[in-house]
Amino acid sequence: MRDIVQTPEHTAKAETAGTAPPRGAGRAILIVGAGASGTILAITLAKRLGPEATITLIDPAARVGRGVAYAQPDRGHLLNSPAEAMGVLAEAPGDFADWLAARGMAPPAGGFAPRAAFGSYLADRYARAATDPEGARILRIEAACIDLRTVPGGVEAHLGDGRRVAGSFAVLATGHPRRAPDGEGLVRDGWASTSPPVDPDGRVLLVGTGLTMADHALALLKAGHRGEIVAVSRRGLLPRAHMRPGSPKLALPAGVLPFGQPLSSWLALVRRLARECGARGGGWQAAIDAIRPHASEIWASLPPEERQRFLRHAAPWWEVHRHRLPPASLRALEAARVAGQFRVLRAGFLGAEAGPAGLTARLAPWAAGVPDALNCAEIRDCRGAGRIRAEDPLVRALFSRGIARPDDAGLGFETDRGGALIAASGAVQERIRALGPPCRGSLWETTAIPEIRAAATRLAAALEQSLA
């Protein structure tokens, strides 16, 4: 397999923007965030809007398409969806697999490519869109957006360096909210890097047992770490494995989805479909995958109290069955567990203290035999996305002026089904939309590439109609 291709991310057409787009100001879209969500939307819009429109990507990061998920260079970090499903455009879902094949990097059918390769693919497709003479003009601003304001006929982005950028519409594609950092600097940010610890024989505690934890554990094992690796979460649930390539899929019969019913009806449906898949020689994964395209509609049909019940009791179980690992990754973790190097504890993480012998993690045991303290050489926070943070300058500005409000669960912004922000007054902000993780509390399944791609397609169509 060749090295991951590095592609140009700034071209003659992807220029540095000034105070306002120099032409096409009446057909200008501002996208706040140049990670996967923002990049996919920019590519989709450029293809639809044509050369008289301008798209401005605003993000302090120097590279597009990477965000948190695709910035790590380690080729051992695999995508958790098969390559065949990861194309950037809805009309060409297999484009990523074709891109890999053209570079001699294609995994086997149904296989999983490195995350870094997907970041390179997004950058390549962005560069192609930015140089397409028939597509919209794409501008890049490497600065933080600290406020969005509605103005007559459009919106205005206020940047951290004092500039202002005008547009017809703005889209918040800011990705997953980061968790608040450990105040004493004792716990390492699991999203920052998976590099080996200073002490190769020391115990490493990974807080969280999901996909981020798996990335760190596998990176440690690959680097030859000799010390114990301990993962901790209250339920101790590990992601399940993807189904084998070629396994039968499930088509839901019409009328089977119980909209308007309580959460218990949906969980009963999932269990019944999983049993039916097993009886037909398939895997339970087919039941999850069949319901997944309807998840946002299901979420919207649940009253707030049922959503809260789901988050308290069922969400961890849904997450480990929905966000799965490649089978090879799970086999590596199981081999380390059998060898005594990797273990999972059921406990809550209360914090850390520094002492002469290193770090001590304070735990709240949820199962018998789990200690309430653990000595460690290093602690990494691998709990994934946090809740929306009001201390973020942009979030604080939008909330303080009533332009936006948090969703009922506090996961992100409250939006309508099309991603338009809901103001504190309840009014729909048609000029300011959101895409991807910021919509999680309102739409739920909106963080994986297939869902982001579908949402970007719908949003691009709506914006095209509005600009007509």
Side-chain angles (χ1 to χ4, degrees):
M1 180 180 288
R2 298 179 187 172
D3 289 339
I4 294 168
V5 177
Q6 299 299 317
T7 56
E9 301 188 18
H10 296 279
T11 66
K13 192 180 175 192
E15 305 166 17
T16 299
T19 302
R23 65 180 176 85
R27 290 171 56 83
I29 306 294
L30 309 181
I31 301 176
V32 181
S37 301
T39 302
I40 289 173
L41 179 61
I43 295 169
T44 305
L45 281 169
K47 187 176 179 65
R48 296 186 70 112
L49 297 184
E52 295 307 313
T54 300
I55 300 163
T56 304
L57 273 171
I58 303 170
D59 195 306
R63 301 191 299 171
V64 301
R66 308 290 174 161
V68 172
Y70 312 114
Q72 292 291 334
D74 190 336
R75 292 194 311 191
H77 294 176
L78 301 180
L79 296 166
N80 62 325
S81 290
E84 289 89 342
M86 297 287 286
V88 72
L89 294 175
E91 62 267 27
D95 183 55
F96 177 52
D98 295 339
W99 184 90
L100 290 169
R103 289 156 178 77
M105 300 166 61
F112 303 85
R115 292 189 190 183
F118 186 72
S120 294
Y121 162 73
L122 276 180
D124 179 71
R125 290 306 187 241
Y126 167 82
R128 176 185 289 188
T131 54
D132 181 1
E134 298 183 359
R137 186 181 192 186
I138 300 178
L139 308 177
R140 275 282 286 122
I141 297 180
E142 292 180 20
C145 178
I146 60 173
D147 197 3
L148 282 173
R149 295 175 180 260
T150 54
V151 296
V155 292
E156 188 176 72
H158 293 223
L159 309 185
D161 59 12
R163 283 182 290 173
R164 299 182 181 183
V165 186
S168 304
F169 294 89
V171 180
L172 293 168
T174 49
H176 288 289
R178 304 290 285 268
R179 291 181 178 271
D182 167 41
E184 298 181 5
L186 303 179
V187 180
R188 180 169 155 183
D189 180 2
W191 284 8
S193 171
T194 56
S195 59
V198 175
D199 182 1
D201 296 301
R203 175 187 287 139
V204 177
L205 179 66
L206 305 178
V207 182
T209 55
L211 297 176
T212 304
M213 177 282 298
D215 279 347
H216 280 264
L218 293 169
L220 289 167
L221 294 170
K222 179 182 176 183
H225 184 68
R226 298 184 294 269
E228 185 182 34
I229 303 167
V230 180
V232 59
S233 70
R234 291 184 299 171
R235 291 175 177 82
L237 299 174
L238 293 178
R240 276 32 175 188
H242 275 282
M243 59 184 171
R244 297 182 300 274
S247 297
K249 297 184 179 180
L250 175 66
L252 292 179
V256 71
L257 297 175
F259 293 110
Q261 298 299 311
L263 179 62
S264 57
S265 298
W266 291 102
L267 299 179
L269 173 65
V270 173
R271 288 192 291 266
R272 178 169 65 81
L273 293 176
R275 288 194 298 268
E276 291 178 5
C277 290
R280 297 172 185 172
W284 55 263
Q285 295 93 332
I288 300 294
D289 292 345
I291 290 177
R292 175 178 166 183
H294 308 281
S296 291
E297 189 177 2
I298 293 168
W299 185 254
S301 74
L302 295 173
E305 61 271 16
E306 289 289 275
R307 296 185 191 181
Q308 292 290 349
R309 185 173 294 114
F310 175 83
L311 292 172
R312 286 195 306 269
H313 303 296
W317 296 93
W318 172 262
E319 293 291 293
V320 298
H321 288 85
R322 158 67 182 85
H323 297 284
R324 305 188 288 265
L325 279 172
S329 298
L330 272 181
R331 287 195 296 270
L333 290 177
E334 176 61 15
R337 187 193 66 79
V338 171
Q341 189 179 7
F342 174 72
R343 61 173 167 149
V344 177
L345 298 179
R346 288 191 60 195
F349 176 70
L350 301 178
E353 299 171 352
L359 299 176
T360 299
R362 293 180 287 107
L363 306 177
W366 274 51
V370 176
D372 58 8
L374 197 67
N375 293 328
C376 311
E378 188 172 306
I379 304 172
R380 304 184 184 186
D381 189 344
C382 302
R383 288 174 292 186
R387 295 175 180 266
I388 193 167
R389 296 176 58 195
E391 60 266 33
D392 177 272
L394 177 57
V395 175
R396 182 172 62 247
L398 295 176
F399 284 174
S400 66
R401 292 187 295 101
I403 297 297
R405 67 187 185 191
D407 59 68
D408 292 332
L411 300 177
F413 296 106
E414 184 178 354
T415 71
D416 69 5
R417 295 296 304 279
L421 295 191
I422 305 298
S425 65
V428 177
Q429 301 280 14
E430 294 289 351
R431 293 284 179 178
I432 305 178
R433 312 289 183 98
L435 175 69
C439 304
R440 189 162 61 112
S442 297
L443 304 177
W444 187 245
E445 282 294 340
T446 183
T447 61
I449 294 301
E451 280 77 21
I452 291 172
R453 179 180 63 213
T457 300
R458 293 191 297 269
L459 179 53
L463 292 175
E464 180 183 25
Q465 184 176 7
S466 297
L467 289 170

